[in-house]
Amino acid sequence: MILGTQVNYFTFDFTASGKSGGEYSTVGWHEKDDIDCVIEFLTKEKKVDHIALWGRSMGAIAAIFYANQNPKVRCLILDSAFSNFEKLIKEVAQSKVYVPGFLISGALTFLEKTINEKASFKIGEVNPIKAIQSITLPILFGSGNNDKLVSCKHTEDLYNACKKGKHGGNKVLKIFEGEHNSQRPVSWMGATISFLKQHLLGTNVKMQSTEVKKIQPAPKGNIDSRSRSNLNQRLLNTSLLGNE
């Protein structure tokens, strides 16, 4: 479906994820620098002028933190984003076994120190619901109704936080059948196509095809995206869609 929209599709692995090198993942905080690296490559080497960020889970968080940094970014598609990292940690801890609140708070204090020392970020900084309120771009929010890791309530909270602002009119929310890592339904893919058609390509662009096609895997590779090298090798996780 995506392949018939006159959109170039570029995917990559964040630092320390998938095939990319690196030691620590920072759940979207430093990953925004990876997006900046990729967009620099696309704009300078491939002459891409219009870009949409399509992020799933951590990729969605990185897209939120990056969104206002580059005027070439025209819209966002955010799949299964969490609203607040500390809140998510507490929810995951409580879902496994009952843990008294004071114990979780103590563990978070220890975890905060370790994370800051090793990965140079603080749990409290990863607060997408605060960052998203300043985003003026069109946003398509999506979440699976059976997501046990990041409940759709997180996505709903992000959407509602946007709707309260003066740019709330260009935000759309879709809750679909699925879990955190399940294959996305055709209804969601159709919504993304319509969204991209409107906000990336322009409303007068004619759809070439609605046939579902299997995307063939790109050649395997290994990158450290923060080194700003080897960006033309295989990358997965967050998607950038650009209209040349």
Side-chain angles (χ1 to χ4, degrees):
M1 295 176 73
I2 294 295
L3 298 183
T5 59
Q6 300 177 354
V7 167
N8 297 306
Y9 185 65
F10 185 94
T11 65
F12 69 98
D13 276 332
F14 285 121
T15 297
S17 297
K19 299 293 183 179
S20 292
E23 198 169 1
Y24 299 110
S25 170
T26 62
V27 293
W29 183 250
H30 289 306
E31 283 75 12
K32 63 181 182 291
D33 299 327
D34 294 351
I35 294 178
D36 187 54
C37 180
V38 171
I39 289 182
E40 180 180 347
F41 168 77
L42 290 175
T43 54
K44 289 186 177 180
E45 302 296 328
K46 301 301 181 182
K47 310 303 180 184
V48 174
D49 188 56
H50 297 72
I51 294 173
L53 301 182
W54 185 345
R56 183 162 168 174
S57 193
M58 180 174 70
I61 304 306
I64 290 171
F65 288 136
Y66 182 79
N68 285 336
Q69 294 185 24
N70 194 317
K72 292 184 182 295
V73 177
R74 299 303 178 91
C75 58
L76 308 179
I77 300 175
L78 306 177
D79 183 339
S80 307
F82 59 81
S83 60
N84 178 275
F85 188 37
E86 182 174 340
K87 177 181 178 181
L88 179 65
I89 291 173
K90 291 178 178 179
E91 289 177 352
V92 172
Q94 293 286 9
S95 69
K96 303 300 181 183
V97 62
Y98 173 73
V99 181
F102 73 90
L103 289 180
I104 295 178
S105 297
L108 279 173
T109 300
F110 173 79
L111 185 62
E112 175 88 62
K113 181 179 179 181
T114 302
I115 288 175
N116 195 27
E117 290 176 351
K118 294 183 178 295
S120 302
F121 80 101
K122 298 178 180 179
I123 292 175
E125 291 177 325
V126 188
N127 189 16
I129 199 166
K130 179 180 179 181
I132 206 165
Q133 294 178 55
S134 66
I135 296 177
T136 61
L137 300 171
I139 303 176
L140 173 61
F141 295 90
S143 178
N145 60 354
N146 292 313
D147 194 326
K148 301 298 190 298
L149 179 61
V150 181
S151 73
C152 58
K153 181 64 165 57
H154 282 265
T155 293
E156 291 170 347
D157 288 345
L158 289 169
Y159 170 74
N160 289 329
C162 284
K163 292 296 288 184
K164 293 178 181 179
K166 61 180 180 179
H167 301 285
N170 58 9
K171 309 301 190 289
V172 181
L173 172 64
K174 299 289 183 182
I175 304 297
F176 47 80
E177 291 287 335
E179 300 178 1
H180 193 72
N181 294 312
S182 63
Q183 182 175 337
R184 292 322 190 210
V186 172
S187 61
W188 167 247
M189 299 308 296
T192 63
I193 289 173
S194 297
F195 184 78
L196 290 171
K197 181 181 177 182
Q198 178 180 358
H199 297 292
L200 184 63
L201 299 179
T203 55
N204 294 324
V205 175
K206 183 179 180 180
M207 299 288 285
Q208 291 183 329
S209 172
T210 56
E211 178 184 0
V212 179
K213 300 179 180 180
K214 182 178 180 181
I215 299 177
Q216 298 298 322
K220 294 182 179 179
N222 181 30
I223 72 161
D224 181 347
S225 56
R226 288 182 198 149
S227 70
R228 297 178 178 264
S229 63
N230 301 324
L231 284 173
N232 56 348
Q233 298 184 39
R234 189 197 180 201
L235 309 158
L236 293 172
N237 214 345
T238 292
S239 302
L240 299 135
L241 300 112
N243 178 26
E244 292 186 350

mmCIF file of all heavy atoms in Angstrom, residues 200-232:
data_model
loop_
_atom_site.group_PDB
_atom_site.id
_atom_site.type_symbol
_atom_site.label_atom_id
_atom_site.label_comp_id
_atom_site.label_asym_id
_atom_site.label_seq_id
_atom_site.Cartn_x
_atom_site.Cartn_y
_atom_site.Cartn_z
ATOM 1 N N LEU A 200 1.821 15.283 3.123
ATOM 2 C CA LEU A 200 3.165 15.205 2.557
ATOM 3 C C LEU A 200 3.157 15.440 1.056
ATOM 4 O O LEU A 200 3.961 16.193 0.524
ATOM 5 C CB LEU A 200 3.798 13.844 2.856
ATOM 6 C CG LEU A 200 5.252 13.672 2.401
ATOM 7 C CD1 LEU A 200 6.172 14.638 3.133
ATOM 8 C CD2 LEU A 200 5.721 12.243 2.617
ATOM 9 N N LEU A 201 2.216 14.789 0.364
ATOM 10 C CA LEU A 201 2.185 14.870 -1.083
ATOM 11 C C LEU A 201 1.256 15.944 -1.611
ATOM 12 O O LEU A 201 1.404 16.402 -2.727
ATOM 13 C CB LEU A 201 1.758 13.512 -1.670
ATOM 14 C CG LEU A 201 2.671 12.327 -1.346
ATOM 15 C CD1 LEU A 201 2.117 11.065 -1.977
ATOM 16 C CD2 LEU A 201 4.086 12.583 -1.817
ATOM 17 N N GLY A 202 0.253 16.326 -0.827
ATOM 18 C CA GLY A 202 -0.739 17.277 -1.296
ATOM 19 C C GLY A 202 -2.016 16.558 -1.684
ATOM 20 O O GLY A 202 -1.991 15.441 -2.205
ATOM 21 N N THR A 203 -3.132 17.148 -1.456
ATOM 22 C CA THR A 203 -4.424 16.488 -1.621
ATOM 23 C C THR A 203 -4.747 16.144 -3.063
ATOM 24 O O THR A 203 -5.625 15.336 -3.332
ATOM 25 C CB THR A 203 -5.552 17.380 -1.080
ATOM 26 O OG1 THR A 203 -5.479 18.661 -1.725
ATOM 27 C CG2 THR A 203 -5.410 17.573 0.419
ATOM 28 N N ASN A 204 -4.058 16.755 -4.036
ATOM 29 C CA ASN A 204 -4.381 16.501 -5.444
ATOM 30 C C ASN A 204 -3.575 15.362 -6.049
ATOM 31 O O ASN A 204 -3.721 15.064 -7.232
ATOM 32 C CB ASN A 204 -4.140 17.772 -6.282
ATOM 33 C CG ASN A 204 -5.105 18.875 -5.898
ATOM 34 O OD1 ASN A 204 -6.255 18.607 -5.591
ATOM 35 N ND2 ASN A 204 -4.622 20.113 -5.912
ATOM 36 N N VAL A 205 -2.695 14.741 -5.231
ATOM 37 C CA VAL A 205 -1.901 13.634 -5.748
ATOM 38 C C VAL A 205 -2.756 12.386 -5.838
ATOM 39 O O VAL A 205 -3.398 11.981 -4.877
ATOM 40 C CB VAL A 205 -0.677 13.364 -4.837
ATOM 41 C CG1 VAL A 205 0.072 12.132 -5.321
ATOM 42 C CG2 VAL A 205 0.245 14.580 -4.849
ATOM 43 N N LYS A 206 -2.773 11.743 -7.007
ATOM 44 C CA LYS A 206 -3.594 10.561 -7.231
ATOM 45 C C LYS A 206 -2.876 9.320 -6.740
ATOM 46 O O LYS A 206 -1.690 9.114 -6.992
ATOM 47 C CB LYS A 206 -3.900 10.410 -8.727
ATOM 48 C CG LYS A 206 -4.822 9.234 -9.033
ATOM 49 C CD LYS A 206 -5.097 9.165 -10.532
ATOM 50 C CE LYS A 206 -6.012 7.981 -10.845
ATOM 51 N NZ LYS A 206 -6.284 7.896 -12.295
ATOM 52 N N MET A 207 -3.593 8.467 -6.000
ATOM 53 C CA MET A 207 -3.026 7.214 -5.528
ATOM 54 C C MET A 207 -2.772 6.304 -6.711
ATOM 55 O O MET A 207 -3.639 6.096 -7.559
ATOM 56 C CB MET A 207 -3.992 6.535 -4.548
ATOM 57 C CG MET A 207 -4.292 7.368 -3.315
ATOM 58 S SD MET A 207 -2.908 7.468 -2.195
ATOM 59 C CE MET A 207 -2.979 5.836 -1.504
ATOM 60 N N GLN A 208 -1.598 5.709 -6.773
ATOM 61 C CA GLN A 208 -1.277 4.822 -7.871
ATOM 62 C C GLN A 208 -1.840 3.419 -7.656
ATOM 63 O O GLN A 208 -2.203 2.732 -8.595
ATOM 64 C CB GLN A 208 0.244 4.718 -8.033
ATOM 65 C CG GLN A 208 0.884 6.000 -8.542
ATOM 66 C CD GLN A 208 2.362 5.811 -8.755
ATOM 67 O OE1 GLN A 208 3.024 5.040 -8.066
ATOM 68 N NE2 GLN A 208 2.913 6.530 -9.721
ATOM 69 N N SER A 209 -1.892 2.980 -6.409
ATOM 70 C CA SER A 209 -2.318 1.612 -6.150
ATOM 71 C C SER A 209 -2.706 1.468 -4.694
ATOM 72 O O SER A 209 -2.168 2.137 -3.826
ATOM 73 C CB SER A 209 -1.174 0.634 -6.483
ATOM 74 O OG SER A 209 -1.495 -0.675 -6.062
ATOM 75 N N THR A 210 -3.660 0.584 -4.409
ATOM 76 C CA THR A 210 -4.006 0.256 -3.031
ATOM 77 C C THR A 210 -3.705 -1.209 -2.746
ATOM 78 O O THR A 210 -4.123 -1.770 -1.756
ATOM 79 C CB THR A 210 -5.500 0.517 -2.769
ATOM 80 O OG1 THR A 210 -6.284 -0.230 -3.714
ATOM 81 C CG2 THR A 210 -5.819 1.994 -2.896
ATOM 82 N N GLU A 211 -2.972 -1.837 -3.649
ATOM 83 C CA GLU A 211 -2.613 -3.247 -3.477
ATOM 84 C C GLU A 211 -1.599 -3.404 -2.350
ATOM 85 O O GLU A 211 -0.618 -2.647 -2.270
ATOM 86 C CB GLU A 211 -2.022 -3.791 -4.776
ATOM 87 C CG GLU A 211 -1.582 -5.253 -4.683
ATOM 88 C CD GLU A 211 -0.912 -5.724 -5.954
ATOM 89 O OE1 GLU A 211 -0.787 -4.914 -6.892
ATOM 90 O OE2 GLU A 211 -0.513 -6.898 -5.992
ATOM 91 N N VAL A 212 -1.802 -4.385 -1.494
ATOM 92 C CA VAL A 212 -0.856 -4.650 -0.420
ATOM 93 C C VAL A 212 0.339 -5.390 -0.999
ATOM 94 O O VAL A 212 0.195 -6.435 -1.628
ATOM 95 C CB VAL A 212 -1.504 -5.505 0.686
ATOM 96 C CG1 VAL A 212 -0.484 -5.797 1.779
ATOM 97 C CG2 VAL A 212 -2.700 -4.776 1.276
ATOM 98 N N LYS A 213 1.516 -4.833 -0.790
ATOM 99 C CA LYS A 213 2.722 -5.449 -1.335
ATOM 100 C C LYS A 213 3.680 -5.798 -0.204
ATOM 101 O O LYS A 213 3.779 -5.088 0.779
ATOM 102 C CB LYS A 213 3.424 -4.494 -2.309
ATOM 103 C CG LYS A 213 2.547 -4.100 -3.497
ATOM 104 C CD LYS A 213 3.298 -3.146 -4.404
ATOM 105 C CE LYS A 213 2.448 -2.739 -5.593
ATOM 106 N NZ LYS A 213 3.155 -1.804 -6.497
ATOM 107 N N LYS A 214 4.398 -6.874 -0.375
ATOM 108 C CA LYS A 214 5.389 -7.281 0.614
ATOM 109 C C LYS A 214 6.675 -6.531 0.348
ATOM 110 O O LYS A 214 7.200 -6.554 -0.767
ATOM 111 C CB LYS A 214 5.643 -8.786 0.538
ATOM 112 C CG LYS A 214 6.642 -9.280 1.581
ATOM 113 C CD LYS A 214 6.816 -10.783 1.494
ATOM 114 C CE LYS A 214 7.809 -11.280 2.535
ATOM 115 N NZ LYS A 214 8.016 -12.738 2.440
ATOM 116 N N ILE A 215 7.181 -5.849 1.359
ATOM 117 C CA ILE A 215 8.421 -5.097 1.204
ATOM 118 C C ILE A 215 9.599 -6.041 1.373
ATOM 119 O O ILE A 215 9.751 -6.701 2.398
ATOM 120 C CB ILE A 215 8.508 -3.962 2.240
ATOM 121 C CG1 ILE A 215 7.342 -2.996 2.031
ATOM 122 C CG2 ILE A 215 9.836 -3.222 2.147
ATOM 123 C CD1 ILE A 215 7.290 -1.882 3.049
ATOM 124 N N GLN A 216 10.441 -6.135 0.368
ATOM 125 C CA GLN A 216 11.597 -7.016 0.418
ATOM 126 C C GLN A 216 12.667 -6.423 1.334
ATOM 127 O O GLN A 216 12.909 -5.210 1.313
ATOM 128 C CB GLN A 216 12.175 -7.218 -0.988
ATOM 129 C CG GLN A 216 11.200 -7.883 -1.936
ATOM 130 C CD GLN A 216 10.822 -9.272 -1.483
ATOM 131 O OE1 GLN A 216 11.655 -10.014 -0.975
ATOM 132 N NE2 GLN A 216 9.554 -9.631 -1.649
ATOM 133 N N PRO A 217 13.335 -7.259 2.148
ATOM 134 C CA PRO A 217 14.381 -6.740 3.041
ATOM 135 C C PRO A 217 15.559 -6.193 2.266
ATOM 136 O O PRO A 217 15.944 -6.742 1.231
ATOM 137 C CB PRO A 217 14.781 -7.980 3.870
ATOM 138 C CG PRO A 217 14.404 -9.143 3.016
ATOM 139 C CD PRO A 217 13.171 -8.717 2.274
ATOM 140 N N ALA A 218 16.122 -5.099 2.766
ATOM 141 C CA ALA A 218 17.314 -4.517 2.153
ATOM 142 C C ALA A 218 18.538 -5.308 2.574
ATOM 143 O O ALA A 218 18.484 -6.111 3.509
ATOM 144 C CB ALA A 218 17.443 -3.053 2.592
ATOM 145 N N PRO A 219 19.674 -5.118 1.908
ATOM 146 C CA PRO A 219 20.892 -5.843 2.289
ATOM 147 C C PRO A 219 21.270 -5.570 3.735
ATOM 148 O O PRO A 219 21.077 -4.472 4.238
ATOM 149 C CB PRO A 219 21.941 -5.263 1.317
ATOM 150 C CG PRO A 219 21.157 -4.734 0.178
ATOM 151 C CD PRO A 219 19.867 -4.252 0.750
ATOM 152 N N LYS A 220 21.817 -6.591 4.376
ATOM 153 C CA LYS A 220 22.214 -6.447 5.775
ATOM 154 C C LYS A 220 23.423 -5.534 5.879
ATOM 155 O O LYS A 220 24.267 -5.466 5.001
ATOM 156 C CB LYS A 220 22.524 -7.811 6.384
ATOM 157 C CG LYS A 220 21.298 -8.711 6.485
ATOM 158 C CD LYS A 220 21.661 -10.022 7.143
ATOM 159 C CE LYS A 220 20.421 -10.913 7.275
ATOM 160 N NZ LYS A 220 20.742 -12.206 7.902
ATOM 161 N N GLY A 221 23.511 -4.856 7.009
ATOM 162 C CA GLY A 221 24.640 -3.972 7.232
ATOM 163 C C GLY A 221 24.781 -3.662 8.696
ATOM 164 O O GLY A 221 23.999 -4.116 9.522
ATOM 165 N N ASN A 222 25.775 -2.884 9.063
ATOM 166 C CA ASN A 222 26.000 -2.532 10.457
ATOM 167 C C ASN A 222 26.448 -1.084 10.514
ATOM 168 O O ASN A 222 27.401 -0.709 9.851
ATOM 169 C CB ASN A 222 27.072 -3.435 11.059
ATOM 170 C CG ASN A 222 27.318 -3.116 12.520
ATOM 171 O OD1 ASN A 222 26.412 -2.667 13.211
ATOM 172 N ND2 ASN A 222 28.525 -3.339 12.986
ATOM 173 N N ILE A 223 25.711 -0.249 11.269
ATOM 174 C CA ILE A 223 26.084 1.156 11.333
ATOM 175 C C ILE A 223 26.093 1.654 12.769
ATOM 176 O O ILE A 223 25.499 1.068 13.657
ATOM 177 C CB ILE A 223 25.122 2.041 10.525
ATOM 178 C CG1 ILE A 223 23.775 2.141 11.259
ATOM 179 C CG2 ILE A 223 24.941 1.587 9.114
ATOM 180 C CD1 ILE A 223 22.949 3.301 10.818
ATOM 181 N N ASP A 224 26.803 2.691 12.984
ATOM 182 C CA ASP A 224 26.654 3.500 14.179
ATOM 183 C C ASP A 224 26.197 4.855 13.666
ATOM 184 O O ASP A 224 26.981 5.645 13.173
ATOM 185 C CB ASP A 224 27.983 3.618 14.925
ATOM 186 C CG ASP A 224 27.846 4.443 16.192
ATOM 187 O OD1 ASP A 224 26.818 5.127 16.372
ATOM 188 O OD2 ASP A 224 28.773 4.407 16.996
ATOM 189 N N SER A 225 24.886 5.114 13.767
ATOM 190 C CA SER A 225 24.334 6.295 13.121
ATOM 191 C C SER A 225 24.878 7.581 13.706
ATOM 192 O O SER A 225 24.888 8.604 13.046
ATOM 193 C CB SER A 225 22.805 6.283 13.199
ATOM 194 O OG SER A 225 22.378 6.173 14.516
ATOM 195 N N ARG A 226 25.310 7.577 14.973
ATOM 196 C CA ARG A 226 25.843 8.812 15.548
ATOM 197 C C ARG A 226 27.215 9.164 14.983
ATOM 198 O O ARG A 226 27.715 10.247 15.166
ATOM 199 C CB ARG A 226 25.897 8.707 17.066
ATOM 200 C CG ARG A 226 24.500 8.754 17.662
ATOM 201 C CD ARG A 226 24.497 8.699 19.160
ATOM 202 N NE ARG A 226 23.158 8.325 19.591
ATOM 203 C CZ ARG A 226 22.908 7.646 20.664
ATOM 204 N NH1 ARG A 226 23.862 7.242 21.447
ATOM 205 N NH2 ARG A 226 21.676 7.339 20.991
ATOM 206 N N SER A 227 27.862 8.193 14.320
ATOM 207 C CA SER A 227 29.136 8.499 13.691
ATOM 208 C C SER A 227 28.933 9.167 12.342
ATOM 209 O O SER A 227 29.878 9.553 11.683
ATOM 210 C CB SER A 227 29.956 7.220 13.500
ATOM 211 O OG SER A 227 29.363 6.401 12.503
ATOM 212 N N ARG A 228 27.639 9.277 11.900
ATOM 213 C CA ARG A 228 27.276 9.908 10.638
ATOM 214 C C ARG A 228 27.977 9.252 9.445
ATOM 215 O O ARG A 228 28.466 9.906 8.534
ATOM 216 C CB ARG A 228 27.572 11.409 10.657
ATOM 217 C CG ARG A 228 26.746 12.137 11.699
ATOM 218 C CD ARG A 228 27.079 13.610 11.743
ATOM 219 N NE ARG A 228 26.238 14.272 12.720
ATOM 220 C CZ ARG A 228 25.118 14.893 12.435
ATOM 221 N NH1 ARG A 228 24.700 14.935 11.209
ATOM 222 N NH2 ARG A 228 24.408 15.462 13.375
ATOM 223 N N SER A 229 28.061 7.901 9.469
ATOM 224 C CA SER A 229 28.681 7.185 8.361
ATOM 225 C C SER A 229 27.885 5.945 8.023
ATOM 226 O O SER A 229 27.105 5.434 8.824
ATOM 227 C CB SER A 229 30.112 6.789 8.716
ATOM 228 O OG SER A 229 30.125 5.893 9.811
ATOM 229 N N ASN A 230 28.086 5.426 6.799
ATOM 230 C CA ASN A 230 27.461 4.184 6.333
ATOM 231 C C ASN A 230 25.940 4.230 6.391
ATOM 232 O O ASN A 230 25.287 3.226 6.638
ATOM 233 C CB ASN A 230 27.961 2.986 7.157
ATOM 234 C CG ASN A 230 29.458 2.825 7.064
ATOM 235 O OD1 ASN A 230 30.058 3.075 6.028
ATOM 236 N ND2 ASN A 230 30.078 2.423 8.158
ATOM 237 N N LEU A 231 25.347 5.402 6.136
ATOM 238 C CA LEU A 231 23.900 5.529 6.269
ATOM 239 C C LEU A 231 23.128 4.881 5.137
ATOM 240 O O LEU A 231 21.911 4.787 5.201
ATOM 241 C CB LEU A 231 23.515 7.007 6.359
ATOM 242 C CG LEU A 231 23.797 7.632 7.714
ATOM 243 C CD1 LEU A 231 23.543 9.119 7.650
ATOM 244 C CD2 LEU A 231 22.945 6.994 8.793
ATOM 245 N N ASN A 232 23.820 4.427 4.094
ATOM 246 C CA ASN A 232 23.108 3.804 2.993
ATOM 247 C C ASN A 232 23.013 2.296 3.153
ATOM 248 O O ASN A 232 22.612 1.589 2.246
ATOM 249 C CB ASN A 232 23.785 4.143 1.657
ATOM 250 C CG ASN A 232 25.247 3.748 1.651
ATOM 251 O OD1 ASN A 232 25.791 3.435 2.688
ATOM 252 N ND2 ASN A 232 25.871 3.792 0.486
#
